[in-house]
């Protein structure tokens, strides 16, 4: 009896629904919904006309209800997410629509009416996704208004919970399942804070993203996200003064302007790789929590433009001019990129960013090749430096000062340069430096031939050789070239010193040489005449040497004194011995001292006036 009564009740309900449905499908659907809510026995399946042979009828009824609920939100002029109840209801309807499509899809192949219904369902889903896309964009844009770069006084953090609800901010999901979205940890290395989206907004975005990805609209969701975040990122980069320059534009710029751009680039690259990009990575991971592929795609699209901008500038430097004066700024770019490689590896670790990661490695290696090329150009510069005009007074040649100060400064980046040359199996930094020194030595020897006076040639080589050794000793060059190189170079300087004495003073020492006593010794009168001639010749020769060598330049005060002392040690004893012998010769006649122009002390005084230089910049200072 009870079962029969229930059947009659269900029949009456079906009749009411069917009768109303003839005039108004919406009213019929409402009646079915009311019955279903009133009593579980009046489910949609039971109230559906069981005699209707079409299997798509339950699907049609469900889609009508979903269409009515979803369409009112799709057509709304107000933001759905302005009211949490509306957003929840809209998402629930979308979830039901997706579930319905999945449930009925297997039936579509066998029933044309089901397939037709699913076409309408797909259209409804697409309309829902378009509206979700608009809501996603709106949430992103409203949240972006809170993004700021600032200089804090305390600890730094990328995360700012503007809604002040920490507990609620980290939880997403409906129903019984809740998931914690990771929150960015504090960062304290840099004086810049990026205030992220409020946690509540992130949760809303995550809910939308899950529906769009589930419905097959993940790429559209990623595109909306990346277009909003990319604008923020590019604005942040422009604030750092980094211009968007093509490789050709960089090459056409004056080097001074390029140097300024490099300084800005170094700061921008560090900020981007250490703060901006990691911040975007964490924000992507929170918005697309549980959707790793969408998170990776979105992050790549956000950062690709700014990353390519950074890498293109570095590439322009790598393939640009290899003029030696560019070494130190190119080193700045190389070292910056090298130091940031761990950040490239960690931040761009996913498959979508593989191209960016590989490009960074390629350009880094290209910069190393450029640095090796700069040293090759330095070699060419030394080889080509012409031996046109002699440096006045045999002083320090500009090429010596340039090369030694250049290498000395370069060695401040010794570890970097060693790393670069280690990658070239044909050389090492120490071999490279030795080769450059050999080229410089050969170039100076060619230049020394310009001097017609052999003594001045030796002074020139001593001056430059001494300067080279000093620069080697007080820098990393010393350890690179080694003690053996320094000993050999000092031996060369001693040889130049010996050559100087031979070409300048051996002749005058020969004048002062006394005749040995023998059976065939000349008479006293002849000896007196010979001594007088020698003394006259000495005075003339000595005056000439002093006149010639006083303007010669010896830049190093200690070295200058050593030269004077060495001359004094060989000349004064010989001259004193000669004068003593001269004064004691019989038959010298009256006033034998009349021909003695210089006393020993006066000779020493004249020697002390040597090597004073002529005030020429090339022959003087020793910077």
């Amino acid at each position: 009896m009870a079962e029969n009564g229930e059947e009659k009740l269900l029949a009456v309900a079906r009749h009411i629904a069917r009768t109303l449905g003839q005039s108004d499908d919406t009213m019929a659907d409402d009646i079915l919904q009311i019955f279903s809510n009133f009593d579980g026995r009046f489910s949609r399946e039971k109230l559906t006309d069981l005699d209707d042979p079409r299997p798509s009828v339950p699907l049609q009824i469900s889609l009508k209800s979903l269409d009515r609920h979803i369409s009112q939100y799709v057509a709304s002029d107000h933001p759905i997410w302005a009211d949490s109840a509306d957003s929840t209801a809209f998402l629930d309807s979308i979830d039901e629509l997706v579930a319905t499509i999945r449930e009925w899809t297997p039936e579509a192949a066998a029933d044309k009416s089901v397939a037709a219904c699913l076409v309408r369902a797909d259209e409804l889903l697409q309309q829902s996704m378009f509206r979700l896309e608009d809501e996603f964009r709106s949430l992103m844009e409203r949240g972006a208004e809170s993004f700021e770069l600032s200089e804090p006084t305390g600890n730094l953090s990328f995360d700012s919970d503007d809604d002040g609800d920490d507990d609620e901010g980290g939880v997403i999901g409906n129903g019984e399942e809740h998931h914690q979205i990771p929150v960015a940890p504090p960062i304290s290395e840099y004086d810049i804070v990026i205030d992220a989206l409020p946690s509540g907004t992130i949760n809303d975005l995550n809910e939308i993203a899950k529906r769009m990805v589930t419905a097959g609209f993940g790429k559209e969701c990623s595109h909306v996200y990346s277009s909003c975040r990319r604008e923020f990122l590019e604005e942040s980069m422009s604030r750092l003064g980094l211009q968007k320059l093509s490789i050709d534009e960089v090459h056409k710029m004056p080097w001074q302007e390029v140097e300024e751009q490099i300084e800005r680039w170094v700061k921008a690259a560090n900020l981007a790789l250490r703060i901006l990009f990691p911040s975007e990575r964490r924000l992507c991971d929170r918005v697309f929590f549980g959707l790793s592929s969408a998170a990776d795609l979105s992050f790549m699209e956000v950062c690709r433009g700014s990353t390519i901008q950074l890498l293109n500038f570095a590439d322009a430097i790598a393939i640009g001019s290899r003029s030696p004066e560019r070494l130190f700024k190119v080193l700045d770019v190389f070292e910056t990129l090298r130091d940031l490689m761990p950040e490239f590896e960690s931040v761009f670790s996913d498959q979508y960013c593989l191209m960016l990661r590989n490009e960074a490695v390629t350009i880094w290696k290209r910069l190393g090749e450029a640095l090796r090329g700069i040293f090759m150009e330095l070699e060419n510069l030394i080889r080509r430096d012409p031996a046109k005009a002699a440096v006045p007074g045999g002083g320090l040649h500009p090429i010596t000062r340039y090369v030694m100060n250049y290498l000395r400064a370069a060695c401040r980046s010794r570890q970097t340069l060693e790393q670069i040359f280690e990658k070239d199996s044909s050389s090492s930094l120490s071999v490279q430096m030795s080769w450059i020194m050999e080229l410089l030595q050969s170039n100076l020897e060619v230049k020394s031939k310009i001097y017609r006076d052999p003594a001045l040639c030796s002074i020139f080589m001593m001056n430059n050789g001494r300067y080279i050794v000093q620069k080697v000793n007080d820098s990393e060059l010393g350890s690179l070239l080694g003690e053996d190189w320094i000993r050999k170079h000092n031996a060369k300087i001693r040889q130049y010193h010996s050559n100087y004495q031979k070409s300048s003073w051996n002749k005058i020492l020969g004048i002062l040489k006394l005749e040995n006593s023998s059976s065939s010794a000349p008479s006293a009168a002849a000896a007196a005449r010979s001594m007088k001639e020698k003394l006259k010749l000495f005075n003339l020769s000595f005056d000439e040497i002093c006149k010639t060598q006083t303007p010669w330049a010896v830049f190093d005060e200690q070295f200058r004194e050593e030269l004077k002392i060495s001359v004094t040690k060989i000349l004064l004893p010989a001259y004193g011995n000669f004068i003593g012998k001269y004064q004691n010769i019989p038959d010298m006649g009256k006033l034998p001292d009349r021909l003695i122009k210089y006393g020993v002390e006066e000779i020493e005084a004249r020697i002390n006036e040597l090597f004073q230089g002529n005030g020429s910049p090339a022959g003087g200072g020793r910077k």
Side-chain angles (χ1 to χ4, degrees):
M1 292 291 294
E3 291 180 1
N4 188 40
E6 183 175 331
E7 284 297 325
K8 290 182 178 181
L9 185 61
L10 289 173
V12 171
R14 289 194 198 102
H15 176 73
I16 293 173
R18 184 166 53 250
T19 301
L20 292 174
Q22 293 175 356
S23 59
D24 192 333
D25 288 343
T26 301
M27 185 181 296
D29 195 58
D30 287 341
I31 292 296
L32 289 175
Q33 186 66 44
I34 291 171
F35 286 156
S36 177
N37 292 339
F38 175 74
D39 193 319
R41 293 175 297 174
F42 301 140
S43 66
R44 288 178 177 273
E45 291 77 8
K46 291 182 178 181
L47 291 176
T48 301
D49 193 340
L50 299 178
D51 297 330
D52 194 324
R54 294 176 301 167
S56 64
V57 171
L59 174 59
Q60 291 175 357
I61 295 174
S62 295
L63 288 179
K64 286 178 182 178
S65 176
L66 288 171
D67 192 349
R68 187 177 74 257
H69 285 90
I70 290 175
S71 294
Q72 66 178 339
Y73 290 113
V74 170
S76 175
D77 294 332
H78 303 288
I80 299 175
W81 261 257
D83 188 312
S84 60
D86 286 342
S87 61
T88 300
F90 186 44
L91 291 178
D92 288 344
S93 296
I94 291 175
D95 290 342
E96 186 176 349
L97 177 60
V98 171
T100 299
I101 292 173
R102 286 180 176 175
E103 178 183 354
W104 284 90
T105 296
E107 307 292 333
D111 192 294
K112 292 183 178 180
S113 62
V114 172
C117 288
L118 289 181
V119 170
R120 169 57 188 151
D122 287 336
E123 292 174 353
L124 183 60
L125 181 62
Q126 190 172 41
Q127 293 173 8
S128 303
M129 292 300 108
F130 289 157
R131 184 55 193 253
L132 279 184
E133 185 177 323
D134 291 339
E135 293 292 325
F136 193 94
R137 182 183 291 105
S138 178
L139 286 170
M140 290 289 297
E141 291 173 351
R142 291 202 303 270
E145 296 174 359
S146 66
F147 288 147
E148 293 182 358
L149 289 179
S150 58
E151 296 182 2
T153 55
N155 290 333
L156 305 179
S157 173
F158 289 119
D159 192 58
S160 176
D161 292 334
D162 294 343
D163 57 4
D165 192 349
D166 292 336
D167 294 334
E168 185 178 341
V171 178
I172 63 172
N174 293 325
E176 297 180 358
E177 292 186 3
H178 293 78
H179 303 284
Q180 190 71 25
I181 296 179
V183 177
I187 291 184
S188 57
E189 285 99 19
Y190 293 87
D191 296 330
I192 293 180
V193 169
I194 299 177
D195 293 327
L197 292 168
S199 291
T201 301
I202 293 175
N203 293 331
D204 289 338
L205 292 171
N206 179 255
E207 292 294 335
I208 295 175
K210 288 192 298 184
R211 270 66 178 194
M212 293 188 72
V213 171
T214 301
F217 286 76
K219 289 185 178 180
E220 288 79 0
C221 184
S222 293
H223 177 72
V224 173
Y225 176 88
S226 61
S227 63
C228 293
R229 292 306 303 164
R230 184 166 53 244
E231 182 179 349
F232 163 77
L233 190 58
E234 290 176 353
E235 173 63 22
S236 300
M237 298 289 284
S238 67
R239 290 185 190 181
L240 300 172
L242 191 65
Q243 302 178 27
K244 285 187 176 181
L245 299 168
S246 68
I247 291 178
D248 287 340
E249 287 173 332
V250 174
H251 290 168
K252 292 177 182 178
M253 291 174 67
W255 178 241
Q256 186 176 359
E257 293 182 21
V258 176
E259 287 182 313
E260 295 173 358
Q261 285 296 315
I262 288 175
E263 291 177 4
R264 295 191 185 103
W265 181 89
V266 169
K267 295 177 182 178
N270 275 286
L271 181 61
L273 268 298
R274 298 183 190 276
I275 291 184
L276 294 176
F277 293 167
S279 175
E280 294 301 326
R281 176 75 259 186
R282 283 186 286 271
L283 187 58
C284 271
D285 289 343
R286 295 185 67 193
V287 170
F288 295 96
F289 181 65
L291 309 167
S292 59
S293 181
D296 293 344
L297 175 61
S298 300
F299 174 71
M300 184 275 292
E301 289 189 346
V302 169
C303 298
R304 178 176 54 189
S306 296
T307 305
I308 290 175
Q309 180 185 356
L310 289 170
L311 293 178
N312 277 351
F313 181 83
D315 199 23
I317 300 302
I319 64 178
S321 169
R322 297 188 175 182
S323 180
E325 69 267 14
R326 300 192 173 197
L327 172 70
F328 304 102
K329 285 300 180 182
V330 178
L331 269 171
D332 287 344
V333 177
F334 176 88
E335 290 176 337
T336 298
L337 203 53
R338 176 200 63 193
D339 295 343
L340 289 174
M341 288 313 299
E343 278 68 28
F344 271 101
E345 292 292 332
S346 61
V347 175
F348 297 119
S349 59
D350 61 82
Q351 59 177 345
Y352 290 104
C353 293
L354 178 62
M355 180 272 292
L356 296 176
R357 189 167 68 247
N358 290 343
E359 186 68 8
V361 173
T362 298
I363 293 174
W364 174 44
K365 292 180 179 178
R366 198 172 291 155
L367 284 164
E369 295 171 2
L371 288 165
R372 288 194 292 271
I374 287 175
F375 276 93
M376 292 178 63
E377 189 57 33
L378 176 64
E379 296 172 14
N380 294 331
L381 183 149
I382 296 171
R383 289 190 188 96
R384 294 193 300 261
D385 192 61
K388 292 181 179 178
V391 175
L396 187 63
H397 198 281
I399 190 68
T400 305
R401 182 185 289 112
Y402 175 82
V403 171
M404 294 312 300
N405 283 310
Y406 185 94
L407 296 181
R408 189 169 180 265
C411 282
R412 294 170 189 159
S413 301
R414 174 179 175 176
Q415 290 184 341
T416 298
L417 292 174
E418 285 180 331
Q419 177 186 18
I420 291 169
F421 282 98
E422 280 174 3
K423 294 184 180 297
D424 182 2
S425 58
S426 64
S427 183
S428 66
L429 183 60
S430 59
V431 170
Q432 180 68 38
M433 292 299 179
S434 297
W435 175 238
I436 292 176
M437 300 301 289
E438 184 176 335
L439 288 174
L440 177 60
Q441 182 72 20
S442 299
N443 182 274
L444 291 172
E445 288 174 356
V446 172
K447 287 178 166 60
S448 70
K449 306 303 181 185
I450 300 176
Y451 299 102
R452 296 181 179 180
D453 189 330
L456 185 53
C457 174
S458 297
I459 287 291
F460 173 79
M461 294 303 297
M462 276 191 288
N463 264 323
N464 288 272
R466 179 85 171 207
Y467 183 85
I468 289 171
V469 170
Q470 287 181 348
K471 289 295 181 180
V472 168
N473 280 328
D474 67 359
S475 69
E476 288 287 331
L477 281 169
S479 58
L480 277 171
L481 296 173
E483 291 295 328
D484 187 55
W485 185 94
I486 295 174
R487 281 194 298 270
K488 289 180 179 179
H489 211 77
N490 279 327
K492 289 182 179 181
I493 296 173
R494 288 193 296 271
Q495 184 60 50
Y496 295 136
H497 188 181
S498 176
N499 294 342
Y500 161 74
Q501 287 189 337
K502 289 178 182 178
S503 56
S504 283
W505 301 103
N506 280 8
K507 180 180 178 182
I508 203 168
L509 288 173
I511 295 172
L512 297 175
K513 188 175 181 180
L514 299 174
E515 299 292 341
N516 293 327
S517 299
S518 65
S519 57
S520 60
S523 64
R529 286 195 300 272
S530 175
M531 292 288 281
K532 289 178 182 180
E533 291 299 322
K534 283 178 175 288
L535 187 56
K536 289 178 182 180
L537 185 57
F538 171 82
N539 290 337
L540 288 172
S541 299
F542 183 71
D543 284 344
E544 182 63 27
I545 288 177
C546 290
K547 179 181 177 181
T548 300
Q549 297 192 13
T550 296
W552 290 2
V554 175
F555 70 88
D556 183 83
E557 183 177 352
Q558 180 183 347
F559 185 40
R560 186 165 60 244
E561 292 305 313
E562 289 175 2
L563 275 176
K564 292 175 182 178
I565 290 171
S566 67
V567 172
T568 300
K569 284 183 177 180
I570 62 171
L571 184 59
L572 290 189
Y575 182 72
N577 188 35
F578 179 88
I579 293 300
K581 186 71 174 178
Y582 170 80
Q583 291 173 327
N584 292 328
I585 290 180
D587 298 329
M588 183 59 70
K590 296 180 179 180
L591 303 174
D593 293 342
R594 182 172 59 86
L595 293 176
I596 301 176
K597 185 175 181 179
Y598 299 107
V600 172
E601 294 172 351
E602 292 172 307
I603 292 289
E604 184 174 8
R606 289 297 304 274
I607 293 173
N608 282 332
E609 295 174 355
L610 299 178
F611 316 125
Q612 295 302 310
N614 58 4
S616 168
R622 46 159 306 203
K623 293 181 181 178

